[in-house]
Each structure stands twice: as structure tokens, then as C-alpha cells.
Amino acid sequence: MANGWLKTKHIENGAVTNDKLATGVSRGVVLVYDVTEDGGSSGTYTLTTLDGSAFTMPAGAISLSCRHIIIDAFVAVSGTPTVAIGYTGSTGGIKTAVAYNHASYTEDGITADSGGVRVWAESPVTVTVASNVLSAGRMLVQLEYIEQ
């Protein structure tokens, strides 16, 4: 750094976290829903980060893009449960409820969900299961957002 310039090689891996970014800079998070760990009965489940930490979208945040990746296909105990991705106050605000065996929930599939969603109050990202019970399945939700 003899010339006063800071180069990326001088920044430690993992040193630039979402908390250190300025307002308006795109941030990202990967969340997980695992039926065997979180539950699969009819109800709403709060998603956590890959390391199990809680995640809350800040008030005023705008989702730029979201996609979900099915790691293990959902399995129903009986009937046809539906699965939606959303946040507090909007169950299907990111992905409207569709049947657990819908093409968008195909194992190893990556599906783009809605972007341009504004969260007016602090809110966790949630998965809602309705109409029946899931016994297995695992999905990642990748969310890119900006804070206002």
C-alpha cells in the first residue's frame, strides 16, 4: 500500500459483510427450509441462514430478485399440500402457494421468484405449508435485496 491504494488482496476474506455495506447497495442472503428440521405440518416456518442464524429483512427493504433451489424433493404424507414463500403480512409475497409437486418444486431445479417486493416492516422470510402435511424435503432460498 505504498501509494495509498487499498487493493482487494489486502481485504481479508469475509471482512465485507452485509452490515458494512452502505444503504442502497445490493445485499444477498441464502436461507434454508428443511422439513425434517423445521417441520412440515400446515403452518408458517421462519427460514434461517445456512449456519442456522435468524435473518430479518429490514423495514423498507426491496427484494430485487429471489430464487429457490430444491435440494431434496418435497414428499407429502397424503393429499396435496401447497407451499408458499413470503414474509410477515404476505404469505405468498415472494412465491404464491402451489402444490408441493408443482414443476417449480422439482428436485435440482432452480426457479426465479418475484422481485420488486417491498417489506414495510421488519420481517423474517417464511415458508407456509397448507392443505396437508409434508414429511420430507429441503429447499434453499436465495434473496437479493437493498435497504432504503
Side-chain angles (χ1 to χ4, degrees):
M1 259 188 7
N3 62 4
W5 289 87
L6 177 64
K7 297 181 180 180
T8 56
K9 71 180 183 179
H10 297 112
I11 300 173
E12 186 177 323
N13 286 340
V16 181
T17 62
N18 279 341
D19 294 340
K20 295 176 183 171
L21 296 175
T23 301
V25 174
S26 174
R27 301 158 191 262
V29 65
V30 177
L31 305 167
V32 64
Y33 171 59
D34 187 331
V35 173
T36 57
E37 290 183 23
D38 302 320
S41 299
S42 289
T44 300
Y45 301 92
T46 299
L47 303 184
T48 57
T49 61
L50 294 173
D51 68 3
S53 301
F55 170 77
T56 302
M57 285 188 62
I62 299 171
S63 165
L64 299 176
S65 68
C66 184
R67 60 194 52 80
H68 67 272
I69 303 132
I70 301 300
I71 304 302
D72 298 311
F74 292 127
V75 177
V77 171
S78 65
T80 309
T82 60
V83 179
I85 305 170
Y87 49 90
T88 304
S90 184
T91 299
I94 295 173
K95 177 171 182 51
T96 22
V98 295
Y100 78 100
N101 56 357
H102 183 269
S104 65
Y105 287 130
T106 303
E107 190 170 350
D108 295 330
I110 299 173
T111 304
D113 299 314
S114 66
V117 175
R118 175 171 274 186
V119 177
W120 293 103
E122 260 189 18
S123 176
V125 177
T126 60
V127 164
T128 300
V129 177
S131 304
N132 239 307
V133 178
L134 295 171
S135 61
R138 192 164 44 127
M139 147 175 90
L140 300 178
V141 175
Q142 179 189 24
L143 179 67
E144 179 187 8
Y145 66 98
I146 57 172
E147 290 185 23
Q148 292 291 298

